Amino acid sequence: MSSLPSEPAAAGGGIRLRALTRSFDRAAPVLRGLSLDIAPGQFVALLGRSGSGKSTLLRILAGLDADYSAERLQLPPSVSVAFQEPRLFPWLRVWRNVVLNLPGADLRAVALAALEEVGLDAKADAWPQTLSGGQAQRVSLARALARQPELLLLDEPFGALDALTRVTMQKLVLDLWRRHRPSVLLVTHDVDEAILLADRILVLDQGRIVADTAVTTPRPRRLSDPALDPLRATLLELLGVVAEA
Ligand code: ADP
Ligand code: MG
């Protein structure tokens, strides 16, 4: 399959994607003519069943997979990604992990500033294996931030964390988004997480976006808010989850 070099900058951090197709080997395509626009600064959540192609889409947007075809793929110049696993190098101290492969001088100052934003500047000189799961995930976020992304891609970033840490991390991501206003594409399994955080929720199924819903309830949102119930019910149904009585 031929890949298309991505076009230059969508103004201010947006995405324009048309007719994206990706297959593996001789299997049926995982993504089949998928089109998607994301406006600059928008916080978008992407839901979909396991195996529906969410990570495949994110890897292509992150520039980690060039083996796709598309009529158009327009991305901002600066894109960062964070995954479910923090992917830190154990032989590098925390601050060096944060600025790994970054060009420029005074990288320690850059690392410290990013670590401060996630509340971990005190751990700059620690080794990754001394961190808790939540702390390691903060370092991973700091590494994404240090690149000053106009587009932040998050692939189930809280999936491996305990419930309390997850809530703290969700607040942190919202906070960082408000401060820096990148576009965010957050892949999550969790309908409630999508409802709490996003401006807009997409559902991926059969290789395409099958639902695209704005979340208009102002933040901070409470999951107990009955105004969110119809949206939750719709999303669960689209995901093939039958709500319990
Ligand atoms: P999701 O993140 O939604 O759970 P993925 O994007 O990881 O789903 O995977 C979508 C489909 O593509 C799955 O059927 C998976 O087996 C297949 N797939 C993903 N990556 C590869 C690969 N490198 N080689 C072969 N098949 C793959
Ligand atoms: Mg995945």
Side-chain angles (χ1 to χ4, degrees):
M1 192 175 290
S2 69
S3 74
L4 188 90
S6 51
E7 293 173 39
I15 297 181
R16 287 188 146 211
L17 172 58
R18 289 290 171 282
L20 171 67
T21 295
R22 173 65 161 113
S23 316
F24 295 99
D25 308 318
R26 259 169 260 155
V30 172
L31 303 174
R32 316 169 183 236
L34 183 151
S35 293
L36 171 65
D37 284 347
I38 294 182
Q42 205 170 41
F43 195 131
V44 180
L46 177 66
L47 291 166
R49 292 180 225 207
S50 180
S52 59
K54 304 182 295 296
S55 295
T56 301
L57 174 60
L58 242 76
R59 287 175 49 77
I60 290 169
L61 297 177
L64 299 172
D65 174 8
D67 210 4
Y68 59 86
S69 70
E71 280 170 20
R72 177 172 210 188
L73 174 52
Q74 219 176 327
L75 291 167
S78 170
V79 180
S80 285
V81 60
F83 301 93
Q84 179 166 334
E85 336 76 62
R87 302 194 182 186
L88 305 180
F89 290 110
W91 59 86
L92 294 177
R93 292 185 193 272
V94 161
W95 78 267
R96 287 197 185 274
N97 267 287
V98 170
V99 290
L100 188 68
N101 295 331
L102 264 191
D106 209 3
L107 290 177
R108 186 173 164 91
V110 172
L112 284 174
L115 285 166
E116 191 175 351
E117 292 223 45
V118 301
L120 265 194
D121 39 326
K123 293 284 184 186
D125 292 310
W127 296 106
Q129 60 269 33
T130 66
L131 303 178
S132 69
Q135 289 173 333
Q137 203 50 300
R138 281 168 192 259
V139 175
S140 168
L141 269 183
R143 182 173 51 193
L145 279 180
R147 279 138 185 89
Q148 301 188 309
E150 286 162 281
L151 170 63
L152 179 60
L153 303 169
L154 302 171
D155 195 350
E156 313 222 20
F158 320 124
L161 303 175
D162 64 84
L164 276 178
T165 310
R166 172 181 272 251
V167 170
T168 313
M169 291 293 286
Q170 288 168 341
K171 287 198 181 124
L172 174 63
V173 165
L174 261 190
D175 227 46
L176 295 171
W177 171 68
R178 283 208 191 91
R179 250 181 275 154
H180 298 279
R181 283 288 167 162
S183 315
V184 175
L185 184 58
L186 166 74
V187 165
T188 174
H189 263 104
D190 183 344
V191 170
D192 282 343
E193 183 166 285
I195 289 175
L196 269 183
L197 300 182
D199 295 320
R200 182 178 163 204
I201 301 177
L202 310 173
V203 178
L204 178 62
D205 190 34
Q206 309 281 330
R208 291 184 184 216
I209 306 295
V210 296
D212 184 344
T213 315
V215 189
T216 50
T217 308
R219 301 181 182 89
R221 299 179 190 141
R222 280 174 303 109
L223 290 173
S224 56
D225 182 351
L228 295 169
D229 289 346
L231 174 60
R232 181 184 295 107
T234 305
L235 292 169
L236 287 171
E237 195 176 325
L238 281 164
L239 293 167
V241 181
V242 180
E244 282 172 39

